Amino acid sequence: MNTIIVHPTTPEETSFLENLLKRMKFSFEKVSEEIITVSPEELKSINIGIDEANDNKLTDSAYVHQKARALCSK
């Protein structure tokens, strides 16, 4: 079985296609695409985190929790 992916550009197109497919008794599934925008600073931070993970420079979560408890108890 083949799959056809269609990318409507407006809500009207989406509605039209859904109604058409229903009338033609085609099975279909609707998948939403969420576009996330990231600022350059956030992207830089993400890339630093990925580099640290690749270099095994991550800090153990137990250590982080211990430091956070110490800071919050002051």
Side-chain angles (χ1 to χ4, degrees):
M1 174 99 22
N2 292 327
T3 300
I4 298 172
I5 299 174
V6 180
H7 299 280
T9 57
T10 65
E12 292 80 16
E13 288 178 357
T14 301
S15 178
F16 172 78
L17 288 170
E18 285 179 13
N19 291 328
L20 178 65
L21 292 170
K22 286 177 187 174
R23 289 186 67 135
M24 295 179 73
K25 297 186 174 147
F26 279 98
S27 65
F28 66 95
E29 85 182 63
K30 185 176 175 182
V31 179
S32 297
E33 291 182 18
E34 184 177 342
I35 298 174
I36 300 172
T37 56
V38 179
S39 71
E41 294 81 16
E42 291 170 318
L43 186 58
K44 182 179 178 184
S45 177
I46 291 167
N47 287 327
I48 289 170
I50 291 171
D51 290 340
E52 288 177 355
N54 289 335
D55 295 338
N56 292 321
K57 294 181 180 176
L58 298 180
T59 305
D60 181 35
S61 64
Y63 176 75
V64 173
H65 286 272
Q66 179 185 5
K67 293 293 266 184
R69 274 190 228 102
L71 286 172
C72 291
S73 66
K74 290 184 178 183

